[in-house]
Amino acid sequence: MLKQTTAVTLLNLRSIPQRWGMSLATVLSIALVVGVLLGFMAMASGFRATVDGAGSDDVAIMLRGGAMAEMNSTVSRDDVRLVEIAPGIAAGENGEALISAELYVVADGIKRTTQTRANLALRGVGQHGPELRPQFSLVEGRMFSPGTGELVVGESVLREFDGFELGQSIRLGTNEWIVVGVFSTGGSVFDSEIWADLGVIQNLYDRGSSVQTVRARLTSPDAIEALREYVENEPRLNLEVLSERAYFARSAGGTTNLIMFLGWPLAIAMAIGALAGAWNAMYASVDARTRELATLRAIGFGGLPAFTAAMAEALVLAFAGGLIGALATYLLFDGVSASTLGSGFTQIVFAFAVTPDAAVQGVILALIVGFLGGFIPAIRAARIPLLAVHND
């Protein structure tokens, strides 16, 4: 039985070129299914990596209690002063608490690719703001001077939007700014932001002395519990304390889930179409070899070798489609820059990331399509009667 199965399987696989048209259509349809699925997964993975990369376990972020994002949070100056003396917060060389009160507003930018307007995050930061981003570095120019209309922009903003080149004068809203520096935070979400002096942003946008968040460097990741306990027991404070990593994981979850919610149903719908194609291809393969299979039955071959051979052909075509789809998606999309709305209704620039796990899932989906598409035709191949020789 093993020899019969091997012989019929090899014979089946060698005859695939004789049915190249139908076989190629099956391979390409499965490759398209895998490509679409991996495209959405690469988008979700790249977005999550960009947002997660901004988070640190030893940086705490404090928002108004009940606020889910910076945009709807308000923190007063008195709150900031109470946070400055909280336990668990690291001190700088001059003994000051390493905290940064920050204000987050929306500004317009012009996309390079479409020349359309899109929202950008304009963040007012304190003097310790850059220190609280471990991967922060200036790649061009210098840091803005306090009290001036100067900006530094993230690398992603410079890459995706017009008008933010070093030395450029740009109008954001009713205000004129000068770009004096370009910074990088290692490809994190902060690279999609524009930074300016906190006091200037408060004044120009009529925010008084209030801010939206307070970031603080912790003495250790475990120190967040001491800070949280202090905030909870201080009746004058109504703040939620999160590690920066936890905050960004919460922010990214909704967008990532939405991308996958759109991607999987589309891939499944296309997989049904590919399944029909695989089914037709395998039926055509069995019909083209009816005389051959009946002859094999006549000389003593069983039905199991025919079934196994048909299934092997379907799985080989599906595997080829899965590999082609995964490779094409990697070559075409991996590392491609894109942007989408983040939780603050501003653009977050990220790069597609085709991960090995996603590629494996794509190939597995292809094999499932191949198995389902080949199963019924394989049963038909196993049941071809001896009389088929005479009928042909």
Side-chain angles (χ1 to χ4, degrees), residues 79-386:
D79 292 339
V80 176
R81 288 172 176 165
L82 289 172
V83 169
E84 288 177 347
I85 60 173
I89 296 178
E93 294 180 358
N94 58 2
E96 292 183 357
L98 287 177
I99 70 168
S100 176
E102 299 181 357
L103 187 61
Y104 179 102
V105 297
V106 176
D108 282 342
I110 304 296
K111 285 190 172 184
R112 291 184 184 275
T113 53
T114 62
Q115 292 300 300
T116 56
R117 290 188 176 276
N119 291 340
L120 285 170
L122 174 57
R123 182 182 296 276
V125 299
Q127 68 176 97
H128 297 305
E131 295 179 59
L132 298 180
R133 279 83 175 180
Q135 295 176 300
F136 175 88
S137 64
L138 277 172
V139 295
E140 289 186 71
R142 59 176 175 81
M143 199 62 184
F144 59 78
S145 299
T148 64
E150 296 178 343
L151 301 172
V152 292
V153 301
E155 281 187 314
S156 296
V157 174
L158 179 63
R159 184 174 65 248
E160 293 292 322
F161 291 85
D162 279 338
F164 290 97
E165 291 78 13
L166 188 66
Q168 185 80 26
S169 175
I170 188 166
R171 190 174 189 83
L172 299 178
T174 59
N175 308 301
E176 290 286 341
W177 301 86
I178 299 293
V179 179
V180 297
V182 179
F183 68 87
S184 171
T185 56
S188 77
V189 66
F190 296 123
D191 284 358
S192 301
E193 295 183 348
I194 308 164
W195 290 1
D197 178 61
L198 172 62
V200 174
I201 297 292
Q202 288 174 323
N203 182 49
L204 293 179
Y205 287 85
D206 297 322
R207 298 302 176 89
S209 60
S210 67
V211 295
Q212 288 167 314
T213 59
V214 180
R215 277 179 166 79
R217 169 78 65 194
L218 301 172
T219 54
S220 72
D222 294 335
I224 194 169
E225 295 302 329
L227 175 59
R228 187 174 286 132
E229 183 179 357
Y230 168 82
V231 170
E232 290 174 353
N233 293 328
E234 172 53 69
R236 291 170 291 179
L237 290 176
N238 177 28
L239 300 176
E240 181 182 15
V241 181
L242 296 167
S243 72
E244 199 176 47
R245 187 180 300 279
Y247 170 74
F248 280 115
R250 184 175 75 180
S251 300
T255 301
T256 303
N257 291 339
L258 177 61
I259 293 171
M260 296 310 299
F261 178 79
L262 295 174
W264 269 106
L266 180 59
I268 291 172
M270 295 183 66
I272 294 173
L275 175 60
W279 201 331
N280 288 335
M282 293 311 302
Y283 263 120
S285 172
V286 172
D287 287 342
R289 299 174 58 246
T290 298
R291 182 182 180 87
E292 175 187 314
L293 292 170
T295 301
L296 291 173
R297 294 292 304 275
I299 62 176
F301 279 70
L304 181 60
F307 174 86
T308 305
M311 287 300 299
E313 178 180 347
L315 292 174
V316 166
L317 293 177
F319 185 70
L323 285 182
I324 291 172
L327 181 60
T329 305
Y330 177 80
L331 294 176
L332 292 174
F333 291 105
D334 191 61
V336 172
S337 182
S339 63
T340 188
L341 283 177
S343 61
F345 301 102
T346 56
Q347 294 289 307
I348 293 178
V349 180
F350 63 96
F352 282 67
V354 181
T355 64
D357 287 346
V360 170
Q361 290 183 46
V363 173
I364 290 174
L365 176 63
L367 291 174
I368 291 173
V369 171
F371 179 85
L372 295 177
F375 188 76
I376 301 301
I379 292 178
R380 184 171 185 273
R383 292 180 175 178
I384 288 179
L386 299 178

Side-chain angles (χ1 to χ4, degrees), residues 39-111:
F40 276 98
M41 294 180 74
M43 187 187 302
S45 178
F47 180 81
R48 180 171 289 279
T50 297
V51 176
D52 287 351
S56 174
D57 288 324
D58 62 354
V59 172
I61 180 169
M62 284 157 275
L63 306 88
R64 178 177 56 82
M68 296 299 292
E70 290 183 80
M71 287 295 290
N72 46 20
S73 172
T74 303
V75 180
S76 69
R77 178 185 292 177
D78 291 338
D79 292 339
V80 176
R81 288 172 176 165
L82 289 172
V83 169
E84 288 177 347
I85 60 173
I89 296 178
E93 294 180 358
N94 58 2
E96 292 183 357
L98 287 177
I99 70 168
S100 176
E102 299 181 357
L103 187 61
Y104 179 102
V105 297
V106 176
D108 282 342
I110 304 296
K111 285 190 172 184

